[in-house]
Amino acid sequence: SSACSGAALDEPLCQSGAKATTLLWGDSLAMHLARAVAATNGGVVQATLSGCPPILGYTGAARKAAISCEDFNATLMQALAANNMPQIKRVILASTFAALRKSEELKQFAQTIAQLQGFGYEVVLVSPTPTHDRILKCIKLQARAGQPFGACDYPRDEMENADIFDILDALSDQMRVPLVDLREMLCDKDICHVSAGQTVFYRDNIH
């Protein structure tokens, strides 16, 4: 839920149950995974802040809440280090991961993963959704015209964040952490799909 953006870890609204075993950490792309993760057997604690990637020490985010991105991430890591949530066994990291295009942020993210592994947590990466700058415009045009949304599908090789997937693939191998690649759900060999029938997967170009 977007209502959990920057919320305290003990906020009941942001927990699917008192015994949730998975922590979901990231920006708004983590938020849109919350319901799916909450539906798993272990449940979820949502630790998300819009525009704030789960990178310890990251200072490049615009402040969108009462707490800064840097402080939010530091507070969360301190809680995990102190085992303040002993039921948590798995940490899912999800984001646009656009920050990883910079070598310093990529290094910081690898260190963040290493710290979590050192504390004994299972770490899972979730890729961003495949993006294209025509998605939202096309959806609106098709909806107004009452036309099929399949016209908004686009060639896989035109995906605008393909480099992020390459970075995450390499990091997954380097850090020995699983990567949930959303291309496998939204794209086939040649085409990335925006909808299935009348069900639209996107609400904007990235979510």
Side-chain angles (χ1 to χ4, degrees):
S1 167
S2 60
C4 294
S5 183
L9 283 175
D10 58 357
E11 170 56 58
L13 177 67
C14 305
Q15 302 180 20
S16 63
K19 296 183 179 180
T21 58
T22 298
L23 181 87
L24 178 61
W25 181 4
D27 57 21
S28 59
L29 265 69
M31 293 179 201
H32 76 186
L33 299 174
R35 283 188 181 181
V37 180
T40 63
N41 292 335
V44 68
V45 174
Q46 184 178 335
T48 54
L49 178 60
S50 181
C52 179
I55 303 173
L56 199 62
Y58 181 71
T59 59
R63 189 162 186 151
K64 296 184 178 181
I67 189 170
S68 70
C69 177
E70 184 177 15
D71 289 345
F72 178 80
N73 286 338
T75 299
L76 178 55
M77 185 64 88
Q78 288 168 5
L80 291 168
N83 199 29
N84 290 346
M85 299 174 285
Q87 78 279 12
I88 296 297
K89 307 300 179 186
R90 178 187 303 107
V91 178
I92 297 176
L93 304 175
S95 168
T96 66
F97 290 120
L100 301 186
R101 291 186 172 110
K102 296 182 179 180
S103 59
E104 182 58 32
E105 278 76 1
L106 179 56
K107 180 180 177 182
Q108 288 175 317
F109 187 50
Q111 291 171 341
T112 301
I113 295 171
Q115 284 195 43
L116 292 169
Q117 290 173 322
F119 298 145
Y121 296 104
E122 175 192 355
V123 178
V124 177
L125 306 180
V126 179
S127 79
T129 46
T131 62
H132 196 289
D133 65 4
R134 67 184 286 265
I135 292 174
L136 181 59
K137 181 179 179 180
C138 182
I139 289 171
K140 288 181 175 179
L141 287 172
Q142 295 302 103
R144 287 172 187 157
Q147 296 297 313
F149 294 108
C152 301
D153 296 347
Y154 60 92
R156 182 168 174 148
D157 61 9
E158 292 183 7
M159 187 192 314
E160 295 181 349
N161 57 346
D163 60 326
I164 299 300
F165 288 85
D166 292 339
I167 291 168
L168 290 172
D169 279 336
L171 193 63
S172 173
D173 289 341
Q174 174 193 340
M175 303 301 297
R176 298 183 180 180
V177 293
L179 169 65
V180 178
D181 187 335
L182 297 184
R183 291 176 302 185
E184 303 307 315
M185 301 177 189
L186 296 171
C187 305
D188 55 34
K189 182 175 178 290
D190 299 309
I191 300 294
C192 287
H193 301 279
V194 172
S195 64
Q198 289 302 107
T199 301
V200 177
F201 302 141
Y202 289 77
R203 64 177 172 84
D204 57 30
N205 289 336
I206 64 172
H207 298 91

